[in-house]
Amino acid sequence: MAARSTPFDICKTLLLQMQAQCQEPLPSLQRAYQDAVLHGRSHISDADDVFTLFRKVTAELESTYIIVDGLDECAEVPTVITWLLDVNSSTSSLRTIIFSRATLEIRKSLAEVPSLGLTPDTMKPDIEIYLSAAVLTLPCDTAQTKQHVLDVISRKADGMFLFAVLGIQALRQANNIDDTLEMVESTPNGVYNMYKMIFERLSTESDRRQHLAYRALGLISTSARPLTWPELRAALSWDAAHQEFRTGSAPFKDAVLAILCPLIDYREHTDTFRLVHLSLYEYMFDEEKKKHNSQDACHFSIDWNTIQGEYADMTLTQLASDDIARSISVNSGTYPLVAYTTKNWCYHLSLSLHNPERFRKYSEFIADADRRTTWILRWLLSEETSFPLQQIIRLHKLVGEWLEKGGTPAGSVDNLCDIQRALFRLDQLPQSMPGLRMISNFERLVCVRDLAREFTSAGKLNEGIQMFERALLRASADKRGLELGSCWLLNSLGILYDQQGKSVLAKETQQRALICQEQNLPPDHLDIVLTLNELGRLARHLGEYEEAESLHRKALAILESLLDESDLHITWTKSALGRSLLKQGRPSEAMPFHQQVLNVEVQRLGKDHPHTLWTMSDIVRCLRDLGRLDDAINMQQEIVFRGDKALGPKNPDRLWAMNSLGLLFELAGNRSIALETQQTAYAGQIEVLGENHPHCVWTRDVLEQLRNREI
């Protein structure tokens, strides 16, 4: 539809198209023409009453189908919609479909009409069809290059048809393969020109509306996840000058939707806001792109540091509020940002500039152990994620980096003990709380297993064990003996004793838990299965491999009768079973179990998650024992590479993975590379762990053996 078409223009065009579909002149249209000629009119005009004429023509046809494209680009949109709705309701043979951006005006006018939202996901198949045909018309003559172009544009378009079309148009101007490969990685200029025109239009709005557009775009584009409307409204009520939320300044939803269309993608079913496309983010924040903006468009050049600072200040202010700082279950109606704040305050703080006032707010919050523990508890109970402890530790690491950049000390906060205290407090909570989920003992023990590794790396394993021993004594004293609810403490102590190298004591502790559970729970209860698996793991550590296999198979049989194959109970059990099989010299039997676990973890956790990397290490050991050293080395190198990204170059687990890689090189006869790899690992271990740490002692011995063999 032509831009700024009026209702008269639309109706006139429809009459022309309807006549073009018929072999004979339409009676009503012919009579109108003859009447116009009699009155000396050679062109259709308002005098012909085109709207009434349209009704007469559609009544003469057996059926009429109208497609209206780009309704949002018309002039007098409400008038057009009113006419279309009226004529459709009064003409049974007429059917109309409208394609349009969902502007506020159109959304309201067509609220009662059946609609289908086209999201990027629903558009992707059509874009794939278009691109598959379009790349064949490009001047490049190699199938490999054309496939690369198809893959890249499809990914970068991400459901935006205009991006795909403009991308193909630009590539038709390429002079050679180098041009093609360079141009396909760039956003087409036509996309940026579209944004430029939209921002220039925004610059004609009032100062208040421009300010609203600026702040809303900034908050939407830099949020850690798509914001819901209540969250965005609360964030927009933040007064940075006075460092407070001002309810009266919170904008109307209609105002935000109207001013930001078509720059945002508002999804009604989730009530969330996001940018219409990644290229808009690039346009707003890329310094090179900003240089080409017009003076009017420059008004909307958003400062990244300012917006991240606003997020950091408002989330820290919320954390410090007594209603939130002391409560695990917080009314989201009263505090719409509480869920977002709980999960993302560390992220925004780490990206903000360090200043004294912001540091003061942070310091006041972390000075109170009860507030810290309450935050962790609320995070655990609201975050539906697997292996949450790794994420909490990552959040703490982000804050530590922010403090380091600002030249301020991190303080004496013991993050691991805070997490441990949060796990203890779970026993004091009611069985259900509004808006929060309850954590199973399996999830708690997943945290404890990760805690055991972190305590060991930090040299605080004894301290962690003592905290659990005191918690078990308190629970037993309060209830005059061991009760079912305290069995998770025994499970936890068993894990920690095993990490300490006291596997016999760990086994005795897990057996105490099992006796209590079997007396109070049905035989297929998940807590019993959990303890069976722990006993199987300890049997493996004690060299009792057949017993370990038997226990894990028993646990797996129960779990497979109750849960889906992708459940983490099952993947953990398969992983443990695979290790027990490998210890018995059966790598070909162990490998399928580890591969099944890896497939689930990649899908649920991602390729770079620590647990995914640990499963890859299990597969490496199988490959090694099967004699496939090249495959083992390749996968171990991938583990080291991904560990750098996921954990950091100096993380103890990544350095230990380098140790394993060095052993593989040595086994393959590449002693010089093995020596170099072990030296790199040792340098990192000395820096992070200290020369007396067991990892350093082990690596030092390996290096000495390698050097002696070289001699």
Side-chain angles (χ1 to χ4, degrees):
M1 183 171 290
R4 314 319 300 166
S5 297
T6 65
F8 176 84
D9 296 329
I10 296 170
C11 191
K12 181 177 68 174
T13 301
L14 287 171
L15 287 170
L16 176 62
Q17 293 180 3
M18 291 161 73
Q19 177 60 72
Q21 301 296 318
C22 301
Q23 294 182 349
E24 300 293 331
L26 292 166
S28 295
L29 199 55
Q30 187 173 33
R31 288 194 296 271
Y33 170 72
Q34 292 170 347
D35 186 59
V37 170
L38 285 174
H39 290 82
R41 299 194 306 275
S42 59
H43 300 285
I44 195 168
S45 66
D46 290 335
D48 295 301
D49 192 4
V50 292
F51 299 108
T52 301
L53 181 58
F54 180 82
R55 289 177 185 274
K56 292 178 180 179
V57 169
T58 53
E60 292 171 354
L61 297 172
E62 183 177 344
S63 60
T64 305
Y65 297 90
I66 298 175
I67 300 175
V68 180
D69 189 22
L71 178 61
D72 56 300
E73 298 176 2
C74 298
E76 305 175 42
V77 170
T79 306
V80 174
I81 292 177
T82 300
W83 168 63
L84 286 172
L85 292 175
D86 181 52
V87 74
N88 272 269
S89 63
S90 61
T91 309
S92 60
S93 61
L94 179 63
R95 296 290 183 273
T96 303
I97 184 169
I98 297 172
F99 293 96
S100 174
R101 293 190 185 97
T103 64
L104 176 65
E105 192 173 43
I106 290 174
R107 194 190 303 273
K108 286 188 171 184
S109 299
L110 296 177
E112 304 302 321
V113 176
S115 63
L116 176 66
L118 295 179
T119 65
D121 288 339
T122 58
M123 291 291 292
K124 284 177 183 177
D126 290 331
I127 292 176
E128 290 284 342
I129 293 171
Y130 164 75
L131 287 174
S132 297
V135 294
L136 299 177
T137 68
L138 296 179
C140 56
D141 53 5
T142 65
Q144 184 179 3
T145 303
K146 289 182 177 180
Q147 184 61 48
H148 177 71
V149 168
L150 175 62
D151 293 340
V152 173
I153 295 189
S154 178
R155 171 176 53 81
K156 290 174 71 70
D158 192 28
M160 186 180 188
F161 215 110
L162 179 64
F163 189 103
V165 172
L166 293 174
I168 291 293
Q169 289 178 1
L171 286 168
R172 289 196 177 112
Q173 306 302 313
N175 296 319
N176 50 53
I177 288 181
D178 286 347
D179 279 358
T180 300
L181 296 178
E182 181 180 350
M183 292 167 68
V184 76
E185 296 295 340
S186 304
T187 297
N189 286 331
V191 174
Y192 292 140
N193 289 336
M194 175 187 70
Y195 296 142
K196 178 182 175 182
M197 288 189 292
I198 294 171
F199 281 120
E200 287 173 347
R201 175 183 61 80
L202 276 176
S203 69
T204 64
E205 298 280 352
S206 67
D207 289 346
R208 290 178 182 273
R209 301 277 278 187
Q210 287 187 50
H211 181 67
L212 173 60
Y214 175 89
R215 291 208 61 225
L217 273 176
L219 292 168
I220 292 169
S221 60
T222 58
S223 61
R225 60 157 173 78
L227 296 171
T228 65
W229 167 242
E231 289 170 341
L232 178 59
R233 185 174 186 271
L236 286 168
S237 74
W238 174 252
D239 184 338
H242 296 89
Q243 293 288 291
E244 64 180 10
F245 291 96
R246 302 183 66 180
T247 306
S249 65
F252 302 125
K253 187 176 186 178
D254 285 359
V256 174
L257 288 171
I259 196 69
L260 290 186
C261 183
L263 296 173
I264 58 165
D265 174 16
Y266 171 67
R267 303 194 177 180
E268 196 165 8
H269 63 290
T270 56
D271 198 23
T272 53
F273 292 73
R274 65 195 78 201
L275 292 185
V276 70
H277 194 259
L278 178 62
S279 57
L280 175 56
Y281 179 91
E282 296 170 352
Y283 180 80
M284 290 191 300
F285 291 105
D286 189 303
E287 292 301 325
E288 286 300 315
K289 305 297 184 298
K290 290 180 182 180
K291 292 178 183 178
H292 301 290
N293 284 350
S294 66
Q295 186 174 357
D296 290 334
C298 283
H299 293 166
F300 298 93
S301 181
I302 296 170
D303 184 77
W304 168 270
N305 291 325
T306 299
I307 298 296
Q308 292 296 348
E310 282 197 29
Y311 266 124
D313 293 339
M314 70 176 76
T315 53
L316 282 172
T317 298
Q318 281 230 318
L319 283 174
S321 166
D322 284 340
D323 289 346
I324 294 175
R326 307 295 181 187
S327 303
I328 296 169
S329 180
V330 180
N331 188 325
S332 60
T334 306
Y335 298 99
L337 266 178
V338 66
Y340 186 88
T341 292
T342 298
K343 297 176 186 178
N344 299 300
W345 72 271
C346 295
Y347 167 77
H348 289 296
L349 182 64
S350 71
L351 295 174
S352 68
L353 295 178
H354 194 287
N355 65 42
E357 177 60 20
R358 199 164 291 147
F359 177 69
R360 181 192 64 77
K361 284 187 177 184
Y362 163 76
S363 300
E364 287 181 358
F365 169 69
I366 59 104
D368 189 322
D370 186 55
R371 288 185 176 188
R372 300 195 310 266
T373 306
T374 299
W375 162 64
I376 292 172
L377 258 179
R378 194 185 314 116
W379 193 97
L380 287 171
L381 293 171
S382 62
E383 183 70 12
E384 293 190 24
T385 185
S386 306
F387 309 113
L389 184 114
Q390 296 294 333
Q391 294 195 37
I392 296 176
I393 291 174
R394 178 176 170 274
L395 293 176
H396 282 303
K397 183 180 178 182
L398 288 175
V399 173
E401 291 172 352
W402 178 78
L403 292 169
E404 187 177 335
K405 284 189 297 184
T408 50
S412 58
V413 176
D414 193 328
N415 300 324
L416 298 179
C417 288
D418 282 348
I419 295 168
Q420 202 165 352
R421 279 189 287 267
L423 293 176
F424 294 154
R425 278 183 59 184
L426 285 170
D427 289 333
Q428 304 167 16
L429 302 180
Q431 289 300 308
S432 64
M433 291 182 291
L436 300 175
R437 67 188 189 92
M438 299 313 295
I439 291 181
S440 68
N441 283 338
F442 174 76
E443 291 174 289
R444 270 208 275 204
L445 292 191
V446 165
C447 285
V448 173
R449 288 189 198 99
D450 286 344
L451 263 179
R453 298 174 69 90
E454 296 296 333
F455 272 128
T456 302
S457 296
K460 296 182 177 181
L461 184 56
N462 289 337
E463 183 180 344
I465 289 174
Q466 290 169 8
M467 287 184 69
F468 269 102
E469 287 175 337
R470 288 195 296 269
L472 182 61
L473 284 174
R474 286 195 301 271
S476 300
D478 292 344
K479 299 169 183 176
R480 298 180 182 179
L482 182 66
E483 291 192 358
L484 184 62
S486 302
C487 283
W488 80 273
L489 292 170
L490 284 171
N491 291 138
S492 301
L493 275 171
I495 292 170
L496 292 166
Y497 288 146
D498 184 48
Q499 186 75 16
Q500 199 178 35
K502 299 177 179 178
S503 296
V504 174
L505 176 59
K507 183 175 181 179
E508 293 172 356
T509 305
Q510 297 291 5
Q511 286 172 333
R512 284 179 61 194
L514 184 62
I515 291 170
C516 179
Q517 290 166 339
E518 288 181 334
Q519 290 174 347
N520 295 279
L521 298 172
D524 61 350
H525 195 280
L526 292 181
D527 284 0
I528 290 179
V529 175
L530 187 154
T531 306
L532 288 174
N533 269 328
E534 287 299 330
L535 285 167
R537 191 167 66 92
L538 290 167
R540 184 177 81 249
H541 292 174
L542 291 167
E544 301 163 355
Y545 303 133
E546 290 184 2
E547 181 185 353
E549 179 187 350
S550 175
L551 287 165
H552 291 316
R553 288 194 184 278
K554 180 179 179 180
L556 184 60
I558 296 172
L559 291 172
E560 287 182 331
S561 69
L562 299 173
L563 304 172
D564 183 79
E565 282 294 316
S566 64
D567 190 275
L568 292 177
H569 287 78
I570 289 181
T571 59
W572 194 90
T573 305
K574 285 181 176 179
S575 180
L577 176 56
R579 289 171 185 169
S580 69
L581 291 170
L582 186 63
K583 285 292 187 180
Q584 296 178 70
R586 296 151 66 185
S588 59
E589 295 178 58
M591 179 82 113
F593 286 112
H594 291 309
Q595 191 60 58
Q596 291 167 22
V597 173
L598 181 63
N599 292 340
V600 173
E601 288 179 339
V602 167
Q603 183 178 4
R604 294 191 59 174
L605 307 177
K607 291 182 178 180
D608 298 327
H609 193 281
H611 286 259
T612 305
L613 300 180
W614 297 337
T615 299
M616 290 175 68
S617 297
D618 288 325
I619 294 176
V620 167
R621 284 187 278 273
C622 291
L623 291 169
R624 177 200 63 195
D625 290 3
L626 287 167
R628 296 166 56 184
L629 279 180
D630 287 344
D631 292 336
I633 288 173
N634 288 337
M635 182 170 280
Q636 190 65 33
Q637 286 176 320
E638 184 180 353
I639 292 169
V640 172
F641 173 77
R642 293 191 179 281
D644 190 359
K645 177 182 177 182
L647 305 170
K650 300 296 177 62
N651 180 274
D653 281 340
R654 182 191 178 268
L655 296 172
W656 191 252
M658 290 190 71
N659 290 135
S660 299
L661 180 59
L663 292 178
L664 289 170
F665 279 129
E666 182 183 0
L667 195 60
N670 298 324
R671 289 184 181 173
S672 60
I673 301 178
L675 181 62
E676 181 183 347
T677 304
Q678 298 291 10
Q679 286 173 332
T680 303
Y682 183 63
Q685 289 165 338
I686 286 289
E687 179 182 344
V688 175
L689 303 174
E691 63 179 11
N692 295 322
H693 191 278
H695 286 195
C696 294
V697 174
W698 183 92
T699 309
R700 200 157 50 237
D701 290 343
V702 169
L703 284 170
E704 185 177 350
Q705 293 170 19
L706 280 169
R707 291 183 183 119
N708 289 337
R709 287 180 192 139
E710 288 291 319
I711 296 173

